[in-house]
């Protein structure tokens, strides 16, 4: 049977997750197709990171329905998802070469040539140690590792936060350089101005739910405003 390209690559229905008395996700519904870059926007604490962790299969004690490429979160979905967390996850003493070996051991779809191409684009050497790098350089290493997988879904949590504007632009160029045309990139950010030219669609969250979503072009046309302006109006 031929694959159904009309089916969303990511489907979420009535997703709920709490940490004790704190509600992180509150009946969230979301459908996203492949072949697009989607901005996941919202205030701090609105549930963006929790949503990404559920989609990545790192959080399991939730209620609701989640499917990635037709699979519930688990080994089959994890094989199709590459997740970049918002915190550093590599040992300070490690060289870049060790990080490549680590990812190659963990992920069967890790593409060493793709990784080396990205490292060259970022002007990084495999012999470099992470502890000798700036925050922007370390972020480039982590982006390289995440984007060098042959995944269908890429989940990036604040990949350009805390780095200078020049590094942001290079990191975004590197992400685009390695993204397959049929892949889905869901990127969490509060730096909407930097990302707006790249986005095909946006999902805006508040209090654990989606408050606004749609095509970037449609939203701009309907509201006669930029995504940055729409974001400010939505959360004012």
């Amino acid at each position: 049977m031929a694959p159904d390209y009309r089916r969303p690559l990511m489907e979420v229905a009535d997703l709920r997750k709490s940490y004790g008395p704190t509600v992180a996700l509150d009946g969230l519904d979301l459908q996203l197709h492949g072949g697009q870059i989607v901005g996941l926007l919202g205030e701090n604490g609105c549930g963006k990171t929790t949503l990404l962790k559920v989609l990545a299969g790192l959080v399991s004690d939730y209620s609701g329905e989640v499917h990635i490429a037709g699979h519930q979160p688990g080994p089959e979905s994890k094989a199709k998802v590459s997740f970049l967390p918002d915190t550093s996850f590599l040992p300070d003493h490690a060289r870049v070469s060790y990080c490549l070996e680590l990812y190659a051991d963990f992920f069967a779809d890790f593409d060493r040539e793709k990784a080396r191409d990205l490292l060259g684009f970022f002007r990084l050497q495999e012999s470099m140690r992470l502890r000798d790098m700036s925050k922007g350089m370390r972020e480039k290493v982590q982006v390289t590792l995440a984007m060098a997988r042959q995944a269908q879904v890429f989940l990036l949590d604040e990949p350009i936060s805390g780095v200078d504007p020049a590094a942001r632009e290079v990191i975004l160029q590197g992400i685009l350089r390695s993204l397959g045309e049929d892949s889905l990139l869901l990127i969490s950010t509060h730096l909407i101005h930097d990302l707006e030219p790249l986005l095909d669609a946006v999902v805006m969250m508040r209090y654990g739910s989606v408050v606004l979503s749609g095509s970037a072009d449609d939203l701009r046309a309907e509201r006669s405003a930029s995504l940055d302006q729409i974001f400010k109006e939505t959360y004012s």
Side-chain angles (χ1 to χ4, degrees), residues 17-128:
K17 166 64 183 171
S18 296
Y19 298 100
T22 303
V23 177
L25 299 172
D26 189 14
L28 185 142
D29 297 308
L30 183 63
Q31 292 189 350
L32 296 175
H33 290 78
Q36 59 178 343
I37 300 172
V38 181
L40 182 61
L41 315 177
E43 304 156 312
N44 289 336
C46 72
K48 300 190 301 296
T49 293
T50 298
L51 172 61
L52 292 179
K53 287 182 176 179
V54 169
L55 296 173
L58 300 179
V59 172
S60 58
D61 54 337
Y62 60 84
S63 64
E65 293 295 323
V66 179
H67 291 88
I68 307 290
H71 303 289
Q72 294 181 343
E76 290 179 310
S77 72
K78 288 181 180 181
K80 300 179 181 297
V81 174
S82 182
F83 174 54
L84 176 65
D86 63 345
T87 55
S88 178
F89 56 89
L90 299 169
D92 282 342
H93 68 274
R95 295 185 187 274
V96 174
S97 56
Y98 170 83
C99 298
L100 297 184
E101 293 291 338
L102 189 67
Y103 257 60
D105 286 342
F106 267 92
F107 302 106
D109 65 348
F110 185 71
D111 188 331
R112 289 174 182 267
E113 290 307 311
K114 192 176 179 183
R116 290 187 176 115
D117 174 74
L118 259 180
L119 288 175
F121 176 77
F122 289 142
R123 298 185 179 181
L124 297 175
Q125 303 295 325
E126 291 186 42
S127 59
M128 300 171 78

Side-chain angles (χ1 to χ4, degrees), residues 29 39 132-133 137 139 151 186 197 230:
D29 297 308
D132 299 326
M133 294 182 175
M137 293 167 72
E139 193 65 31
L186 182 59
I230 294 170

Side-chain angles (χ1 to χ4, degrees), residues 188-210:
S188 167
T189 186
H190 62 278
L191 299 170
I192 305 156
H193 177 75
D194 295 82
L195 273 175
E196 178 157 355
L198 312 181
L199 298 179
D200 300 304
V202 295
V203 175
M204 296 188 187
M205 290 182 61
R206 196 170 208 182
Y207 307 133
S209 299
V210 174

